[in-house]
Amino acid sequence: MELNNLKPAAGAKHARRRVGRGIGSGLGKTAGRGHKGQKSRAGGYHKVGFEGGQMPLQRRLPKRGFKSQSAKFNGEVTLAALERLVTGSNVADVDLLTLKQAGLVGELVKNVKVIKSGELTKAVKLNGIGATAGAKAAIEAAGGSIATA
């Protein structure tokens, strides 16, 4: 092996595409850019979504909806779900950690509120969990209590 014999492995190097080098190259005359128009010119292009001056699609369609970024930190639990939790695992004190372990609220949730949907027969003590007026009445009627910290 000598320095004048060194060359890269077969297929490792690809020849650059040389456009505008005569008719015999197959890429002469218009050099693969077609005929006329903005895309055939040097430096001529447009921004994303531009439709040649026509009102673009994202501006023709109406604005609709809103998704709150704080909604992912709020969760809700029904009275029926609380009933299943208390009955199934014999838990009397329920807090945020208990609800997360039971899979009733997501891992990101920071604020939980109990809503009145279903019935509650067992007494349950809520720590650091809010409740709607109807849910609060149902919990207290079943002999439970709510301690919001």
Side-chain angles (χ1 to χ4, degrees):
M1 181 187 285
E2 293 173 5
L3 286 176
N4 62 330
N5 292 335
L6 290 178
K7 62 180 186 179
K13 296 284 188 178
H14 297 277
R16 202 176 93 245
R17 193 170 166 185
R18 298 185 73 217
V19 297
R21 291 296 180 274
I23 199 167
S25 70
L27 288 168
K29 193 175 174 251
T30 54
R33 287 173 171 260
H35 291 280
K36 295 188 181 175
Q38 190 179 23
K39 287 163 88 172
S40 73
R41 320 276 184 209
Y45 216 65
H46 54 80
K47 61 186 175 195
V48 175
F50 184 68
E51 297 182 20
Q54 173 177 297
M55 188 62 68
L57 183 68
Q58 77 270 20
R59 290 190 59 201
R60 289 200 300 269
L61 298 174
K63 293 193 285 186
R64 181 164 189 263
F66 167 77
K67 188 167 183 178
S68 173
Q69 290 302 304
S70 63
K72 60 188 170 193
F73 300 114
N74 299 327
E76 56 184 38
V77 178
T78 62
L79 286 176
L82 265 183
E83 175 79 14
R84 283 196 304 274
L85 176 68
V86 173
T87 307
S89 59
N90 294 326
V91 176
D93 287 10
V94 176
D95 59 358
L96 185 58
L97 188 64
T98 313
L99 293 175
K100 284 183 180 180
Q101 287 170 348
L104 293 177
V105 294
E107 286 299 316
L108 292 175
V109 171
K110 293 177 182 169
N111 305 313
V112 179
K113 202 169 210 181
V114 179
I115 58 171
K116 187 182 178 222
S117 177
E119 290 183 14
L120 185 68
T121 55
K122 303 268 195 308
V124 67
K125 185 180 177 190
L126 300 181
N127 295 319
I129 296 173
T132 61
K136 188 175 181 181
I139 290 166
E140 288 170 351
S145 65
I146 299 170
T148 52

